[in-house]
Amino acid sequence: MIPARYRISSVAAVALVLAGCRTGGESSGDVLRKQNLELQTQVAQLQKDASELRAKLAELVGAGGTGKSPEVAEATPRVASIEIDFLSGPTADSSTPPQSDRNRTVAVYVKPLDGRGRFIQATGKLTVEVSRLVSINQGQQGAADAPARLLGSRTLEPLQLRDAYRAGFTGTYYVVDIPVPASDVQPPGQLLLRVRFADAITGASFDASRIVGLR
């Protein structure tokens, strides 16, 4: 029979081993999740870097690869991705008298980003679409898979895109206003916003989408 003092020592040893599975108050699962999140962030950054490098390569090839040193080419930011800002959605009806029974405006805030995720002014053609999601089997079909009914679209040519540039305390972006029937933006429901940017400098194309809930 094992003496009591040895049994107590064994229990203490097991407790120390279990405690070793936690580092700084974090369990091994917490550490793995944190490492996974860090890896995902690194992968996303690498993808942006690669996209920007492809854009620069396309520019060099289009120009015959002359007149620009490799260092200057590497330091020159180019559009690597594009996103729709969370501010996007139907604007308030401020008309006098109210025209809520006619048209409403959906403002789409677009942000071109360079390889480091920073806003960059862009030159090219921007196409914006606003659609209303229509769920066939509500509760069984995800919003991203639901069919969409186009409400309105607009394409900005390079000079129009330049005029759509805005900067203020809420951020820096390009704003595209699309009028839609007021009845189509009544809650509940969701809007699907889609944008495509064709870069006039590099020839590359970028797409983005965002789902906006109606409230």
Side-chain angles (χ1 to χ4, degrees), residues 144-208:
D145 300 324
R149 178 167 54 88
L150 182 64
L151 302 181
S153 65
R154 186 179 174 191
T155 297
L156 300 187
E157 299 295 335
L159 286 178
Q160 293 174 314
L161 179 61
R162 184 176 184 181
D163 291 337
Y165 173 86
R166 301 289 185 273
F169 69 92
T170 57
T172 306
Y173 26 67
Y174 292 95
V175 182
V176 182
D177 293 329
I178 298 182
V180 300
S183 59
D184 287 322
V185 292
Q186 295 300 317
Q190 294 176 315
L191 295 181
L192 174 62
L193 311 180
R194 289 175 175 164
V195 298
R196 167 166 288 187
F197 173 68
D199 196 318
I201 296 177
T202 65
S205 294
F206 305 92
D207 298 277

Side-chain angles (χ1 to χ4, degrees), residues 31-201:
V31 173
L32 289 175
R33 282 189 291 272
K34 183 177 180 181
Q35 292 176 344
N36 184 49
L37 181 60
E38 291 175 349
L39 287 174
Q40 290 178 355
T41 302
Q42 292 174 5
V43 169
Q45 182 59 54
L46 289 173
Q47 290 175 338
K48 290 180 180 179
D49 291 341
S51 181
E52 186 176 50
L53 287 174
R54 286 194 296 269
K56 291 178 179 178
L57 178 61
E59 180 183 3
L60 290 174
V61 172
T66 60
K68 184 178 292 187
S69 69
E71 182 179 1
V72 171
E74 183 178 355
T76 303
R78 286 290 177 258
V79 176
S81 63
I82 194 167
E83 70 177 25
I84 300 174
D85 193 78
F86 73 95
L87 292 174
S88 301
T91 60
D93 183 8
S94 59
S95 58
T96 304
Q99 297 180 354
S100 58
D101 59 335
R102 301 178 187 175
N103 286 333
R104 288 279 299 278
T105 298
V106 176
V108 182
Y109 296 77
V110 182
K111 299 174 69 173
L113 305 174
D114 67 8
R116 298 186 179 182
R118 301 167 179 169
F119 177 89
I120 176 176
Q121 292 194 47
T123 302
K125 180 184 294 186
L126 179 68
T127 299
V128 180
E129 293 181 352
V130 177
S131 302
R132 173 118 185 187
L133 289 177
V134 181
S135 178
I136 296 178
N137 296 316
Q138 189 171 4
Q140 297 181 358
Q141 189 173 26
D145 300 324
R149 178 167 54 88
L150 182 64
L151 302 181
S153 65
R154 186 179 174 191
T155 297
L156 300 187
E157 299 295 335
L159 286 178
Q160 293 174 314
L161 179 61
R162 184 176 184 181
D163 291 337
Y165 173 86
R166 301 289 185 273
F169 69 92
T170 57
T172 306
Y173 26 67
Y174 292 95
V175 182
V176 182
D177 293 329
I178 298 182
V180 300
S183 59
D184 287 322
V185 292
Q186 295 300 317
Q190 294 176 315
L191 295 181
L192 174 62
L193 311 180
R194 289 175 175 164
V195 298
R196 167 166 288 187
F197 173 68
D199 196 318
I201 296 177

Side-chain angles (χ1 to χ4, degrees), residues 18-35 38:
L18 292 175
C21 293
R22 303 182 66 88
T23 58
E26 294 182 326
S27 67
S28 57
D30 292 335
V31 173
L32 289 175
R33 282 189 291 272
K34 183 177 180 181
Q35 292 176 344
E38 291 175 349

Side-chain angles (χ1 to χ4, degrees), residues 1-13:
M1 185 173 180
I2 302 176
R5 65 176 181 274
Y6 293 124
R7 291 200 300 271
I8 294 174
S9 298
S10 299
V11 171

